[in-house]
PDB file of all heavy atoms in Angstrom:
ATOM      1  N   PHE A   1     -19.815   1.748  19.672  1.00  0.00           N
ATOM      2  CA  PHE A   1     -20.284   2.275  20.867  1.00  0.00           C
ATOM      3  C   PHE A   1     -21.767   2.803  20.819  1.00  0.00           C
ATOM      4  O   PHE A   1     -22.352   3.256  21.851  1.00  0.00           O
ATOM      5  CB  PHE A   1     -19.419   3.452  21.315  1.00  0.00           C
ATOM      6  CG  PHE A   1     -18.048   3.100  21.606  1.00  0.00           C
ATOM      7  CD1 PHE A   1     -17.043   3.035  20.619  1.00  0.00           C
ATOM      8  CD2 PHE A   1     -17.675   2.687  22.981  1.00  0.00           C
ATOM      9  CE1 PHE A   1     -15.759   2.701  21.012  1.00  0.00           C
ATOM     10  CE2 PHE A   1     -16.467   2.317  23.337  1.00  0.00           C
ATOM     11  CZ  PHE A   1     -15.370   2.268  22.318  1.00  0.00           C
ATOM     12  N   GLY A   2     -22.356   2.765  19.626  1.00  0.00           N
ATOM     13  CA  GLY A   2     -23.735   3.183  19.592  1.00  0.00           C
ATOM     14  C   GLY A   2     -23.876   4.600  19.766  1.00  0.00           C
ATOM     15  O   GLY A   2     -24.974   5.108  20.303  1.00  0.00           O
ATOM     16  N   ILE A   3     -22.914   5.449  19.321  1.00  0.00           N
ATOM     17  CA  ILE A   3     -23.010   6.885  19.636  1.00  0.00           C
ATOM     18  C   ILE A   3     -22.946   7.618  18.209  1.00  0.00           C
ATOM     19  O   ILE A   3     -22.562   7.053  17.228  1.00  0.00           O
ATOM     20  CB  ILE A   3     -21.946   7.424  20.590  1.00  0.00           C
ATOM     21  CG1 ILE A   3     -20.591   7.238  19.888  1.00  0.00           C
ATOM     22  CG2 ILE A   3     -21.847   6.723  21.925  1.00  0.00           C
ATOM     23  CD1 ILE A   3     -19.431   7.851  20.698  1.00  0.00           C
ATOM     24  N   THR A   4     -23.403   8.897  18.220  1.00  0.00           N
ATOM     25  CA  THR A   4     -23.366   9.662  17.192  1.00  0.00           C
ATOM     26  C   THR A   4     -22.566  11.036  17.507  1.00  0.00           C
ATOM     27  O   THR A   4     -22.161  11.170  18.680  1.00  0.00           O
ATOM     28  CB  THR A   4     -24.807  10.285  16.815  1.00  0.00           C
ATOM     29  OG1 THR A   4     -25.300  11.124  17.850  1.00  0.00           O
ATOM     30  CG2 THR A   4     -25.678   8.983  16.558  1.00  0.00           C
ATOM     31  N   PRO A   5     -22.170  11.854  16.432  1.00  0.00           N
ATOM     32  CA  PRO A   5     -21.401  13.019  16.780  1.00  0.00           C
ATOM     33  C   PRO A   5     -22.059  13.950  17.745  1.00  0.00           C
ATOM     34  O   PRO A   5     -21.347  14.817  18.336  1.00  0.00           O
ATOM     35  CB  PRO A   5     -21.355  13.742  15.362  1.00  0.00           C
ATOM     36  CG  PRO A   5     -21.377  12.506  14.391  1.00  0.00           C
ATOM     37  CD  PRO A   5     -22.361  11.566  15.003  1.00  0.00           C
ATOM     38  N   GLU A   6     -23.305  13.838  17.968  1.00  0.00           N
ATOM     39  CA  GLU A   6     -24.002  14.647  19.068  1.00  0.00           C
ATOM     40  C   GLU A   6     -23.791  14.282  20.372  1.00  0.00           C
ATOM     41  O   GLU A   6     -24.022  14.893  21.382  1.00  0.00           O
ATOM     42  CB  GLU A   6     -25.543  14.710  18.692  1.00  0.00           C
ATOM     43  CG  GLU A   6     -25.896  15.477  17.389  1.00  0.00           C
ATOM     44  CD  GLU A   6     -25.530  14.797  16.195  1.00  0.00           C
ATOM     45  OE1 GLU A   6     -25.689  13.516  16.128  1.00  0.00           O
ATOM     46  OE2 GLU A   6     -25.019  15.440  15.262  1.00  0.00           O
ATOM     47  N   ASP A   7     -23.189  13.004  20.619  1.00  0.00           N
ATOM     48  CA  ASP A   7     -23.009  12.444  21.896  1.00  0.00           C
ATOM     49  C   ASP A   7     -21.922  13.230  22.664  1.00  0.00           C
ATOM     50  O   ASP A   7     -20.981  13.737  22.098  1.00  0.00           O
ATOM     51  CB  ASP A   7     -22.672  10.974  21.765  1.00  0.00           C
ATOM     52  CG  ASP A   7     -22.585  10.284  23.159  1.00  0.00           C
ATOM     53  OD1 ASP A   7     -21.608  10.461  23.967  1.00  0.00           O
ATOM     54  OD2 ASP A   7     -23.556   9.573  23.491  1.00  0.00           O
ATOM     55  N   ALA A   8     -21.951  13.433  23.942  1.00  0.00           N
ATOM     56  CA  ALA A   8     -21.041  14.269  24.705  1.00  0.00           C
ATOM     57  C   ALA A   8     -19.630  13.698  24.615  1.00  0.00           C
ATOM     58  O   ALA A   8     -18.711  14.414  24.713  1.00  0.00           O
ATOM     59  CB  ALA A   8     -21.526  14.316  26.086  1.00  0.00           C
ATOM     60  N   ARG A   9     -19.501  12.393  24.492  1.00  0.00           N
ATOM     61  CA  ARG A   9     -18.160  11.741  24.516  1.00  0.00           C
ATOM     62  C   ARG A   9     -17.609  11.429  23.126  1.00  0.00           C
ATOM     63  O   ARG A   9     -16.634  10.931  22.992  1.00  0.00           O
ATOM     64  CB  ARG A   9     -18.189  10.381  25.322  1.00  0.00           C
ATOM     65  CG  ARG A   9     -18.453  10.568  26.773  1.00  0.00           C
ATOM     66  CD  ARG A   9     -18.049   9.322  27.454  1.00  0.00           C
ATOM     67  NE  ARG A   9     -16.532   9.117  27.347  1.00  0.00           N
ATOM     68  CZ  ARG A   9     -15.982   7.885  27.494  1.00  0.00           C
ATOM     69  NH1 ARG A   9     -16.686   6.846  27.591  1.00  0.00           N
ATOM     70  NH2 ARG A   9     -14.671   7.798  27.400  1.00  0.00           N
ATOM     71  N   PHE A  10     -18.372  11.766  22.109  1.00  0.00           N
ATOM     72  CA  PHE A  10     -17.964  11.486  20.707  1.00  0.00           C
ATOM     73  C   PHE A  10     -16.565  12.029  20.365  1.00  0.00           C
ATOM     74  O   PHE A  10     -15.789  11.209  19.936  1.00  0.00           O
ATOM     75  CB  PHE A  10     -18.887  11.987  19.664  1.00  0.00           C
ATOM     76  CG  PHE A  10     -18.632  11.581  18.268  1.00  0.00           C
ATOM     77  CD1 PHE A  10     -18.917  10.323  17.803  1.00  0.00           C
ATOM     78  CD2 PHE A  10     -17.880  12.551  17.431  1.00  0.00           C
ATOM     79  CE1 PHE A  10     -18.528  10.034  16.437  1.00  0.00           C
ATOM     80  CE2 PHE A  10     -17.558  12.172  16.179  1.00  0.00           C
ATOM     81  CZ  PHE A  10     -17.970  10.931  15.686  1.00  0.00           C
ATOM     82  N   ILE A  11     -16.293  13.179  20.552  1.00  0.00           N
ATOM     83  CA  ILE A  11     -14.995  13.763  20.172  1.00  0.00           C
ATOM     84  C   ILE A  11     -13.808  13.161  20.961  1.00  0.00           C
ATOM     85  O   ILE A  11     -12.825  12.809  20.373  1.00  0.00           O
ATOM     86  CB  ILE A  11     -14.981  15.292  20.384  1.00  0.00           C
ATOM     87  CG1 ILE A  11     -15.999  16.030  19.374  1.00  0.00           C
ATOM     88  CG2 ILE A  11     -13.599  15.919  20.237  1.00  0.00           C
ATOM     89  CD1 ILE A  11     -16.056  17.516  19.492  1.00  0.00           C
ATOM     90  N   GLU A  12     -14.104  12.936  22.218  1.00  0.00           N
ATOM     91  CA  GLU A  12     -13.069  12.258  22.968  1.00  0.00           C
ATOM     92  C   GLU A  12     -12.771  10.791  22.482  1.00  0.00           C
ATOM     93  O   GLU A  12     -11.547  10.489  22.322  1.00  0.00           O
ATOM     94  CB  GLU A  12     -13.539  12.164  24.558  1.00  0.00           C
ATOM     95  CG  GLU A  12     -12.728  11.368  25.378  1.00  0.00           C
ATOM     96  CD  GLU A  12     -13.360  11.007  26.644  1.00  0.00           C
ATOM     97  OE1 GLU A  12     -14.469  11.529  27.031  1.00  0.00           O
ATOM     98  OE2 GLU A  12     -12.764  10.057  27.430  1.00  0.00           O
ATOM     99  N   LEU A  13     -13.775  10.086  22.302  1.00  0.00           N
ATOM    100  CA  LEU A  13     -13.583   8.744  21.767  1.00  0.00           C
ATOM    101  C   LEU A  13     -13.061   8.729  20.380  1.00  0.00           C
ATOM    102  O   LEU A  13     -12.198   7.892  19.985  1.00  0.00           O
ATOM    103  CB  LEU A  13     -14.910   7.905  21.825  1.00  0.00           C
ATOM    104  CG  LEU A  13     -15.434   7.580  23.192  1.00  0.00           C
ATOM    105  CD1 LEU A  13     -16.818   6.964  23.158  1.00  0.00           C
ATOM    106  CD2 LEU A  13     -14.484   6.649  23.968  1.00  0.00           C
ATOM    107  N   ARG A  14     -13.559   9.708  19.519  1.00  0.00           N
ATOM    108  CA  ARG A  14     -12.939   9.830  18.174  1.00  0.00           C
ATOM    109  C   ARG A  14     -11.537   9.941  18.153  1.00  0.00           C
ATOM    110  O   ARG A  14     -10.706   9.304  17.445  1.00  0.00           O
ATOM    111  CB  ARG A  14     -13.741  10.842  17.438  1.00  0.00           C
ATOM    112  CG  ARG A  14     -13.220  11.061  15.937  1.00  0.00           C
ATOM    113  CD  ARG A  14     -13.636  12.427  15.447  1.00  0.00           C
ATOM    114  NE  ARG A  14     -12.968  13.512  16.129  1.00  0.00           N
ATOM    115  CZ  ARG A  14     -13.128  14.751  16.094  1.00  0.00           C
ATOM    116  NH1 ARG A  14     -14.089  15.182  15.280  1.00  0.00           N
ATOM    117  NH2 ARG A  14     -12.524  15.629  16.732  1.00  0.00           N
ATOM    118  N   ASP A  15     -11.121  10.964  18.854  1.00  0.00           N
ATOM    119  CA  ASP A  15      -9.624  11.308  18.913  1.00  0.00           C
ATOM    120  C   ASP A  15      -8.825  10.132  19.431  1.00  0.00           C
ATOM    121  O   ASP A  15      -7.701   9.880  18.881  1.00  0.00           O
ATOM    122  CB  ASP A  15      -9.442  12.560  19.782  1.00  0.00           C
ATOM    123  CG  ASP A  15      -9.932  13.770  19.097  1.00  0.00           C
ATOM    124  OD1 ASP A  15     -10.368  13.817  17.960  1.00  0.00           O
ATOM    125  OD2 ASP A  15     -10.061  14.844  19.782  1.00  0.00           O
ATOM    126  N   ARG A  16      -9.266   9.462  20.400  1.00  0.00           N
ATOM    127  CA  ARG A  16      -8.587   8.298  20.928  1.00  0.00           C
ATOM    128  C   ARG A  16      -8.474   7.205  19.873  1.00  0.00           C
ATOM    129  O   ARG A  16      -7.512   6.527  19.734  1.00  0.00           O
ATOM    130  CB  ARG A  16      -9.105   7.775  22.227  1.00  0.00           C
ATOM    131  CG  ARG A  16      -8.422   6.556  22.832  1.00  0.00           C
ATOM    132  CD  ARG A  16      -6.951   6.939  23.220  1.00  0.00           C
ATOM    133  NE  ARG A  16      -6.337   5.739  23.745  1.00  0.00           N
ATOM    134  CZ  ARG A  16      -4.999   5.525  23.597  1.00  0.00           C
ATOM    135  NH1 ARG A  16      -4.179   6.412  22.882  1.00  0.00           N
ATOM    136  NH2 ARG A  16      -4.431   4.413  24.098  1.00  0.00           N
ATOM    137  N   PHE A  17      -9.637   6.986  19.343  1.00  0.00           N
ATOM    138  CA  PHE A  17      -9.720   5.904  18.166  1.00  0.00           C
ATOM    139  C   PHE A  17      -8.714   6.290  17.153  1.00  0.00           C
ATOM    140  O   PHE A  17      -8.006   5.376  16.642  1.00  0.00           O
ATOM    141  CB  PHE A  17     -11.106   5.838  17.627  1.00  0.00           C
ATOM    142  CG  PHE A  17     -11.143   5.006  16.332  1.00  0.00           C
ATOM    143  CD1 PHE A  17     -11.108   3.697  16.183  1.00  0.00           C
ATOM    144  CD2 PHE A  17     -11.290   5.739  15.108  1.00  0.00           C
ATOM    145  CE1 PHE A  17     -11.173   2.987  15.087  1.00  0.00           C
ATOM    146  CE2 PHE A  17     -11.346   5.076  13.931  1.00  0.00           C
ATOM    147  CZ  PHE A  17     -11.295   3.612  13.929  1.00  0.00           C
ATOM    148  N   LEU A  18      -8.673   7.462  16.568  1.00  0.00           N
ATOM    149  CA  LEU A  18      -7.792   7.813  15.544  1.00  0.00           C
ATOM    150  C   LEU A  18      -6.295   7.667  16.035  1.00  0.00           C
ATOM    151  O   LEU A  18      -5.515   7.242  15.263  1.00  0.00           O
ATOM    152  CB  LEU A  18      -8.053   9.301  15.212  1.00  0.00           C
ATOM    153  CG  LEU A  18      -9.348   9.521  14.483  1.00  0.00           C
ATOM    154  CD1 LEU A  18      -9.551  10.972  14.154  1.00  0.00           C
ATOM    155  CD2 LEU A  18      -9.512   8.657  13.233  1.00  0.00           C
ATOM    156  N   ASP A  19      -6.000   7.987  17.272  1.00  0.00           N
ATOM    157  CA  ASP A  19      -4.587   7.736  17.744  1.00  0.00           C
ATOM    158  C   ASP A  19      -4.299   6.332  17.739  1.00  0.00           C
ATOM    159  O   ASP A  19      -3.101   5.887  17.429  1.00  0.00           O
ATOM    160  CB  ASP A  19      -4.480   8.366  19.154  1.00  0.00           C
ATOM    161  CG  ASP A  19      -4.416   9.838  19.220  1.00  0.00           C
ATOM    162  OD1 ASP A  19      -4.168  10.488  18.123  1.00  0.00           O
ATOM    163  OD2 ASP A  19      -4.581  10.405  20.307  1.00  0.00           O
ATOM    164  N   LEU A  20      -5.145   5.456  18.197  1.00  0.00           N
ATOM    165  CA  LEU A  20      -4.950   4.013  18.255  1.00  0.00           C
ATOM    166  C   LEU A  20      -4.775   3.482  16.815  1.00  0.00           C
ATOM    167  O   LEU A  20      -4.042   2.639  16.478  1.00  0.00           O
ATOM    168  CB  LEU A  20      -6.116   3.308  18.903  1.00  0.00           C
ATOM    169  CG  LEU A  20      -6.088   3.547  20.442  1.00  0.00           C
ATOM    170  CD1 LEU A  20      -7.507   2.945  20.972  1.00  0.00           C
ATOM    171  CD2 LEU A  20      -5.016   2.754  21.061  1.00  0.00           C
ATOM    172  N   TYR A  21      -5.568   4.062  15.858  1.00  0.00           N
ATOM    173  CA  TYR A  21      -5.487   3.514  14.455  1.00  0.00           C
ATOM    174  C   TYR A  21      -4.116   3.982  13.914  1.00  0.00           C
ATOM    175  O   TYR A  21      -3.508   3.178  13.087  1.00  0.00           O
ATOM    176  CB  TYR A  21      -6.678   4.131  13.612  1.00  0.00           C
ATOM    177  CG  TYR A  21      -6.667   3.666  12.187  1.00  0.00           C
ATOM    178  CD1 TYR A  21      -6.470   2.358  11.884  1.00  0.00           C
ATOM    179  CD2 TYR A  21      -6.646   4.587  11.156  1.00  0.00           C
ATOM    180  CE1 TYR A  21      -6.368   1.905  10.501  1.00  0.00           C
ATOM    181  CE2 TYR A  21      -6.601   4.172   9.805  1.00  0.00           C
ATOM    182  CZ  TYR A  21      -6.492   2.867   9.465  1.00  0.00           C
ATOM    183  OH  TYR A  21      -6.371   2.470   8.247  1.00  0.00           O
ATOM    184  N   GLU A  22      -3.736   5.217  14.151  1.00  0.00           N
ATOM    185  CA  GLU A  22      -2.432   5.686  13.621  1.00  0.00           C
ATOM    186  C   GLU A  22      -1.280   4.864  14.126  1.00  0.00           C
ATOM    187  O   GLU A  22      -0.324   4.656  13.367  1.00  0.00           O
ATOM    188  CB  GLU A  22      -2.226   7.098  14.057  1.00  0.00           C
ATOM    189  CG  GLU A  22      -0.963   7.767  13.390  1.00  0.00           C
ATOM    190  CD  GLU A  22      -0.961   9.251  13.682  1.00  0.00           C
ATOM    191  OE1 GLU A  22      -1.510   9.691  14.768  1.00  0.00           O
ATOM    192  OE2 GLU A  22      -0.411  10.027  12.915  1.00  0.00           O
ATOM    193  N   ALA A  23      -1.443   4.307  15.305  1.00  0.00           N
ATOM    194  CA  ALA A  23      -0.364   3.454  15.894  1.00  0.00           C
ATOM    195  C   ALA A  23      -0.370   2.007  15.375  1.00  0.00           C
ATOM    196  O   ALA A  23       0.514   1.245  15.590  1.00  0.00           O
ATOM    197  CB  ALA A  23      -0.407   3.406  17.407  1.00  0.00           C
ATOM    198  N   ASN A  24      -1.416   1.675  14.653  1.00  0.00           N
ATOM    199  CA  ASN A  24      -1.632   0.262  14.072  1.00  0.00           C
ATOM    200  C   ASN A  24      -2.077   0.316  12.703  1.00  0.00           C
ATOM    201  O   ASN A  24      -2.928  -0.481  12.290  1.00  0.00           O
ATOM    202  CB  ASN A  24      -2.690  -0.459  14.973  1.00  0.00           C
ATOM    203  CG  ASN A  24      -2.256  -0.618  16.517  1.00  0.00           C
ATOM    204  OD1 ASN A  24      -1.412  -1.462  16.833  1.00  0.00           O
ATOM    205  ND2 ASN A  24      -2.605   0.318  17.324  1.00  0.00           N
ATOM    206  N   LEU A  25      -1.512   1.179  11.836  1.00  0.00           N
ATOM    207  CA  LEU A  25      -1.993   1.363  10.525  1.00  0.00           C
ATOM    208  C   LEU A  25      -1.889   0.162   9.584  1.00  0.00           C
ATOM    209  O   LEU A  25      -2.761  -0.100   8.763  1.00  0.00           O
ATOM    210  CB  LEU A  25      -1.170   2.523   9.859  1.00  0.00           C
ATOM    211  CG  LEU A  25      -1.723   3.945  10.000  1.00  0.00           C
ATOM    212  CD1 LEU A  25      -0.788   4.938   9.421  1.00  0.00           C
ATOM    213  CD2 LEU A  25      -3.176   4.155   9.497  1.00  0.00           C
ATOM    214  N   CYS A  26      -0.757  -0.523   9.727  1.00  0.00           N
ATOM    215  CA  CYS A  26      -0.462  -1.582   8.805  1.00  0.00           C
ATOM    216  C   CYS A  26      -0.062  -2.911   9.446  1.00  0.00           C
ATOM    217  O   CYS A  26       0.952  -3.561   9.134  1.00  0.00           O
ATOM    218  CB  CYS A  26       0.525  -1.115   7.788  1.00  0.00           C
ATOM    219  SG  CYS A  26       0.465  -2.033   6.244  1.00  0.00           S
ATOM    220  N   VAL A  27      -0.887  -3.312  10.427  1.00  0.00           N
ATOM    221  CA  VAL A  27      -0.546  -4.544  11.167  1.00  0.00           C
ATOM    222  C   VAL A  27      -1.213  -5.689  10.304  1.00  0.00           C
ATOM    223  O   VAL A  27      -0.452  -6.626  10.075  1.00  0.00           O
ATOM    224  CB  VAL A  27      -1.288  -4.551  12.554  1.00  0.00           C
ATOM    225  CG1 VAL A  27      -0.959  -5.861  13.190  1.00  0.00           C
ATOM    226  CG2 VAL A  27      -0.711  -3.439  13.422  1.00  0.00           C
ATOM    227  N   ASN A  28      -2.397  -5.612   9.895  1.00  0.00           N
ATOM    228  CA  ASN A  28      -3.023  -6.643   9.127  1.00  0.00           C
ATOM    229  C   ASN A  28      -3.633  -6.167   7.765  1.00  0.00           C
ATOM    230  O   ASN A  28      -4.249  -6.859   7.015  1.00  0.00           O
ATOM    231  CB  ASN A  28      -4.131  -7.309   9.916  1.00  0.00           C
ATOM    232  CG  ASN A  28      -3.632  -8.041  11.200  1.00  0.00           C
ATOM    233  OD1 ASN A  28      -2.780  -8.907  11.059  1.00  0.00           O
ATOM    234  ND2 ASN A  28      -4.142  -7.632  12.326  1.00  0.00           N
ATOM    235  N   THR A  29      -3.334  -4.896   7.449  1.00  0.00           N
ATOM    236  CA  THR A  29      -3.890  -4.338   6.234  1.00  0.00           C
ATOM    237  C   THR A  29      -3.019  -4.932   5.109  1.00  0.00           C
ATOM    238  O   THR A  29      -1.759  -4.996   5.108  1.00  0.00           O
ATOM    239  CB  THR A  29      -3.737  -2.772   6.193  1.00  0.00           C
ATOM    240  OG1 THR A  29      -4.702  -2.280   7.133  1.00  0.00           O
ATOM    241  CG2 THR A  29      -3.974  -2.195   4.797  1.00  0.00           C
ATOM    242  N   ARG A  30      -3.781  -5.285   4.045  1.00  0.00           N
ATOM    243  CA  ARG A  30      -3.124  -5.794   2.774  1.00  0.00           C
ATOM    244  C   ARG A  30      -3.836  -5.301   1.628  1.00  0.00           C
ATOM    245  O   ARG A  30      -5.046  -4.948   1.653  1.00  0.00           O
ATOM    246  CB  ARG A  30      -3.153  -7.405   2.873  1.00  0.00           C
ATOM    247  CG  ARG A  30      -2.463  -8.032   4.014  1.00  0.00           C
ATOM    248  CD  ARG A  30      -0.929  -7.902   3.962  1.00  0.00           C
ATOM    249  NE  ARG A  30      -0.285  -8.630   5.039  1.00  0.00           N
ATOM    250  CZ  ARG A  30      -0.031  -8.134   6.267  1.00  0.00           C
ATOM    251  NH1 ARG A  30      -0.410  -6.834   6.506  1.00  0.00           N
ATOM    252  NH2 ARG A  30       0.525  -8.831   7.208  1.00  0.00           N
ATOM    253  N   LEU A  31      -3.205  -5.352   0.425  1.00  0.00           N
ATOM    254  CA  LEU A  31      -3.865  -5.163  -0.806  1.00  0.00           C
ATOM    255  C   LEU A  31      -4.871  -6.302  -1.073  1.00  0.00           C
ATOM    256  O   LEU A  31      -4.578  -7.364  -0.634  1.00  0.00           O
ATOM    257  CB  LEU A  31      -2.833  -5.081  -1.982  1.00  0.00           C
ATOM    258  CG  LEU A  31      -1.778  -3.864  -1.919  1.00  0.00           C
ATOM    259  CD1 LEU A  31      -0.895  -4.088  -3.157  1.00  0.00           C
ATOM    260  CD2 LEU A  31      -2.496  -2.502  -1.890  1.00  0.00           C
ATOM    261  N   PHE A  32      -5.903  -6.035  -1.679  1.00  0.00           N
ATOM    262  CA  PHE A  32      -6.992  -7.031  -1.944  1.00  0.00           C
ATOM    263  C   PHE A  32      -6.263  -8.039  -2.991  1.00  0.00           C
ATOM    264  O   PHE A  32      -5.394  -7.550  -3.793  1.00  0.00           O
ATOM    265  CB  PHE A  32      -8.152  -6.522  -2.597  1.00  0.00           C
ATOM    266  CG  PHE A  32      -9.089  -6.039  -1.604  1.00  0.00           C
ATOM    267  CD1 PHE A  32      -9.324  -4.575  -1.403  1.00  0.00           C
ATOM    268  CD2 PHE A  32      -9.954  -6.871  -0.872  1.00  0.00           C
ATOM    269  CE1 PHE A  32     -10.161  -4.096  -0.475  1.00  0.00           C
ATOM    270  CE2 PHE A  32     -10.899  -6.349   0.023  1.00  0.00           C
ATOM    271  CZ  PHE A  32     -11.029  -5.089   0.257  1.00  0.00           C
ATOM    272  N   PRO A  33      -6.639  -9.257  -2.955  1.00  0.00           N
ATOM    273  CA  PRO A  33      -6.102 -10.221  -3.856  1.00  0.00           C
ATOM    274  C   PRO A  33      -6.383  -9.779  -5.321  1.00  0.00           C
ATOM    275  O   PRO A  33      -7.453  -9.499  -5.594  1.00  0.00           O
ATOM    276  CB  PRO A  33      -6.856 -11.558  -3.557  1.00  0.00           C
ATOM    277  CG  PRO A  33      -7.226 -11.383  -2.105  1.00  0.00           C
ATOM    278  CD  PRO A  33      -7.444  -9.954  -1.839  1.00  0.00           C
ATOM    279  N   GLY A  34      -5.388  -9.808  -6.068  1.00  0.00           N
ATOM    280  CA  GLY A  34      -5.526  -9.347  -7.498  1.00  0.00           C
ATOM    281  C   GLY A  34      -5.096  -7.925  -7.762  1.00  0.00           C
ATOM    282  O   GLY A  34      -4.873  -7.518  -8.876  1.00  0.00           O
ATOM    283  N   VAL A  35      -5.040  -7.050  -6.654  1.00  0.00           N
ATOM    284  CA  VAL A  35      -4.681  -5.708  -6.838  1.00  0.00           C
ATOM    285  C   VAL A  35      -3.228  -5.439  -7.349  1.00  0.00           C
ATOM    286  O   VAL A  35      -3.027  -4.829  -8.313  1.00  0.00           O
ATOM    287  CB  VAL A  35      -4.834  -4.905  -5.570  1.00  0.00           C
ATOM    288  CG1 VAL A  35      -4.207  -3.528  -5.719  1.00  0.00           C
ATOM    289  CG2 VAL A  35      -6.422  -4.716  -5.354  1.00  0.00           C
TER     290      VAL A  35
END
C-alpha cells in the first residue's frame, strides 16, 4: 500500500491484514526443500 506506521490508516490495515493472515496461515506454506 505504500504506507508507513505514521499513515492514518496503518493500524486499521495492519489489524485487518493480520486477521486475514491468521485465517490463511498454512494454505501454501511449506518447509523449504531439504529442511
Side-chain angles (χ1 to χ4, degrees):
F1 294 91
I3 64 173
T4 67
E6 290 71 37
D7 190 280
R9 293 198 65 204
F10 180 83
I11 293 178
E12 172 196 350
L13 290 172
R14 179 201 65 190
D15 290 349
R16 180 58 183 154
F17 165 74
L18 293 177
D19 286 343
L20 289 167
Y21 180 54
E22 187 173 27
N24 297 277
L25 272 177
C26 204
V27 177
N28 297 302
T29 291
R30 301 289 186 270
L31 297 178
F32 278 102
V35 165

